[in-house]
Amino acid sequence: MKKNLVLSLMVSSILGIILSCTPASQAVPQPENTIHLNQLGYLPHGYKSAVIIGSSETFNIVDAQTQAVVHKGSLGEPQYWEASGETVRLADFSSFTQPGSYRLQVGAASSHEFDIDRNVFSEVSKASVKAFYFHRAGVALDEKHAGIYARTAGHPDTEVVIHASAASASRPEGSMISSPKGWYDAGDYGKYIVNSAITVSTMMSAFEHYPEKAGMLVTNIPESGDETPDLLDETRWNLDWMLTMQDPEDGGVYHKLTTKSFPGMIMPEMDTESRWIVMKTTPAALDFAASMAQASRVYKAYDMEFSEKCLAASIKAWEWAEKNRDVYYKQPEDISTGAYDQPGKPFNDEKFWAATELSITTGEKYEAEIPTPLLVPEWRDGAALAIMNLLNYRSYDAAETAFFVLADSLLKEQQNSAYDISNDYFRWGSTSDFLNQSMVLLYAYKLSGDKNYKDAAQSTFDYVLGKNPLGHSFVTGFGKKTSRHIHHRPSEADGIVEPQPGWVIGGPNPENQEDCGAEAYTSPYPALAFIDELCSYATNEIAINWNGIFVYVSIALDAEG
Ligand code: 9MR
């Protein structure tokens, strides 16, 4: 078993075995010339860099068909990267702009074939939106839209049970409500408000910031061809569910809808255990208020009634949160599904996010201070996303100053980074951290026109598609080497060898490594703490928020060209 796991490590096996016996502080013997690059390729006029491990000083770009050398370059100075224990050099071939199919060569080593093409990210961008369709709860996926991933409906959620933690006078413990539609959160079948909110908001922001490109995406879903862009049709599926999670009585929003514990690796229709509505919380209300306020303005042109409904729901949730400022999620004893909790963390960023979105939509004043420091967005924090949305509508000096402090720190990190990326820490969902950083950098470019931000965003995005020490593409179905055994119930249970395409994988995570047994993770380096195994929920799962940010960044890069 251990041997299999070691072999399946997504590092070159020799390097992986050497690393497994090497303490973090020691230099690692390197194989001659390993090349890591974006396995899909590069935009003709975009920044283009690859990471090389080895002693050569120069590199060539060769035509993939004719082998003719089309570009020659010198490698950058060697730099040590603590996160992987490697000494690496950069190959910068941004000046080579000719579209075509190529390989990068260093000494005797040759990279995967890659493209230089204006549309190099179009397909993966579409697939990352389409993946959400595969996760629709309560509906059968037909062959016309889902192809080989067609399946029968699961989780109608028309009779979900009010848990004791969610009980109120009008909805006592054990009573039923209807809460259909929505997307499954991740490898599990739960539906969680906090994570849903950041996901739909990131996708709606892609539409607001890049309306032309985002509005043009055609994803072959049942709604394709109607008056509404496919991206918004898909997002609407989850917004409709979110609206059902508000108690009409008092405006409070329930935190989640799940079974009591995670089901086995079964298809949706086989998971017939009761599903429960679990407690109202302040972050659920505020995140919901933020997303609904944004939805109100985004859908106004397509469905006025829905737009008004979203705004009314947002205001009601905001008012509930004003009266209930510190209701933290507390996992009930009989429930063990995901918590999306933030013990002890103040809810000032949630409040700022909701207040800002409500102000943008209504033009009225909703008071909340800009959180300091402003952080890269994630499911726990929507403040920077709110600032981008605000600046998309009007200028506001204090928001702009806070935003550029964040963007400049990411740019500096990238410019000093051995791997040419804006981050060197790894935790659960690390891939999404890189992508969220890319979003901030892209928005800084949009505001300033300074190309350095765009280059940093591109280079950080390249990490996700293969320019990383594992040489792994963290998007299923895309790139030459990607995950085959994701922690994802339908992909495991459907009997189809290839996992559903277009899903972003959580990626290296040095924590929570008990999931596959004590000996599964063999590297001491955080950037290598990854295995392509079903059991690895800590590194090889997928999740809607990780896809939502990929949708944003791939659309943005595609739009900026
Ligand atoms: O993405 C979440 C990560 O930031 C947390 O550290 C982790 C543990 O609380 O939970 C992750 O979210 C999971 C959620 O709780 C349940 N569905 C699967 C999610 C992705 O692993």
Side-chain angles (χ1 to χ4, degrees), residues 185-186 188 192 262 338-340 379-380 428 537 541-543 545-546:
D185 184 57
D188 65 314
Y192 306 80
F262 289 124
Y340 285 115
W379 68 259
R380 294 176 188 83
W428 202 311
Y537 57 77
E541 192 173 355
I542 59 95
N545 57 321
W546 307 338

Side-chain angles (χ1 to χ4, degrees), residues 191-505:
K191 302 195 289 197
Y192 306 80
I193 284 293
V194 168
N195 205 39
S196 275
I198 192 73
T199 306
V200 292
S201 288
T202 307
M203 289 162 77
M204 289 189 286
S205 298
F207 182 76
E208 288 197 285
H209 302 175
Y210 302 95
E212 237 171 79
K213 200 45 108 180
M216 267 166 40
L217 277 183
V218 177
T219 56
N220 181 31
I221 53 176
E223 298 82 0
S224 293
D226 68 6
E227 303 277 295
T228 311
D230 284 7
L231 178 67
L232 297 185
D233 276 327
E234 192 53 62
T235 307
R236 172 84 184 255
W237 188 267
N238 205 55
L239 286 162
D240 282 345
W241 164 68
M242 289 174 72
L243 284 167
T244 70
M245 289 292 278
Q246 183 170 46
D247 183 349
E249 200 71 31
D250 64 0
V253 180
Y254 305 109
H255 200 74
K256 67 175 179 179
L257 185 170
T258 70
T259 43
K260 285 197 168 179
S261 53
F262 289 124
M265 287 288 159
I266 52 179
M267 289 300 281
E269 74 272 18
M270 305 300 286
D271 180 28
T272 52
E273 289 290 306
S274 296
R275 307 242 292 172
W276 297 80
I277 296 281
V278 187
M279 76 178 286
K280 292 168 191 165
T281 65
T282 307
L286 290 170
D287 294 1
F288 172 99
S291 294
M292 289 302 161
Q294 186 178 14
S296 176
R297 60 175 188 269
V298 168
Y299 287 84
K300 201 169 180 174
Y302 306 102
D303 186 340
M304 184 55 100
E305 203 184 320
F306 179 67
S307 161
E308 285 168 1
K309 192 172 166 186
C310 290
L311 184 57
S314 171
I315 293 169
K316 259 190 119 168
W318 167 267
E319 287 169 355
W320 184 91
E322 281 290 86
K323 286 184 227 133
N324 298 274
R325 293 187 176 203
D326 287 308
V327 188
Y328 283 79
Y329 182 71
K330 198 169 167 295
Q331 184 89 297
E333 268 177 17
D334 59 339
I335 306 263
S336 59
T337 48
Y340 285 115
D341 58 347
Q342 315 169 56
K345 178 182 157 284
F347 298 133
N348 59 327
D349 54 277
E350 281 85 357
K351 185 169 177 181
F352 175 76
W353 182 20
T356 306
E357 297 296 351
L358 272 161
S359 302
I360 300 170
T361 301
T362 62
E364 286 161 26
K365 210 171 163 86
Y366 283 82
E367 293 287 350
E369 271 176 37
I370 299 174
T372 5
L374 191 66
L375 300 174
V376 173
E378 52 152 320
W379 68 259
R380 294 176 188 83
D381 196 329
L385 188 64
I387 286 199
M388 291 187 274
N389 290 338
L390 179 64
L391 296 174
N392 200 43
Y393 277 83
R394 63 179 177 90
S395 52
Y396 174 25
D397 288 350
E400 201 163 318
T401 305
F403 183 71
F404 275 100
V405 169
L406 174 62
D408 287 345
S409 73
L410 297 174
L411 179 60
K412 197 168 156 209
E413 184 85 34
Q414 179 261 340
Q415 289 176 337
N416 293 325
S417 153
Y419 252 84
D420 206 16
I421 52 183
S422 53
N423 180 22
D424 63 359
Y425 68 89
F426 291 82
R427 57 173 181 170
W428 202 311
S430 59
T431 307
S432 70
D433 286 327
F434 288 102
L435 292 166
N436 273 294
Q437 290 159 11
S438 278
M439 172 172 69
V440 170
L441 289 160
L442 278 163
Y443 206 78
Y445 168 67
K446 201 174 170 59
L447 288 173
S448 66
D450 180 345
K451 210 171 145 294
N452 286 315
Y453 294 114
K454 186 177 157 200
D455 294 353
Q458 176 66 63
S459 190
T460 302
F461 180 75
D462 295 337
Y463 165 94
V464 174
L465 288 169
K467 197 185 69 184
N468 58 64
L470 297 159
H472 198 77
S473 162
F474 292 109
V475 183
T476 57
F478 287 83
K480 307 292 184 297
K481 192 171 145 205
T482 180
S483 286
R484 308 286 304 282
H485 311 290
I486 56 176
H487 183 87
H488 183 234
R489 281 166 177 75
S491 290
E492 175 59 14
D494 63 9
I496 300 166
V497 174
E498 294 301 329
Q500 289 174 2
W503 283 113
V504 172
I505 297 147

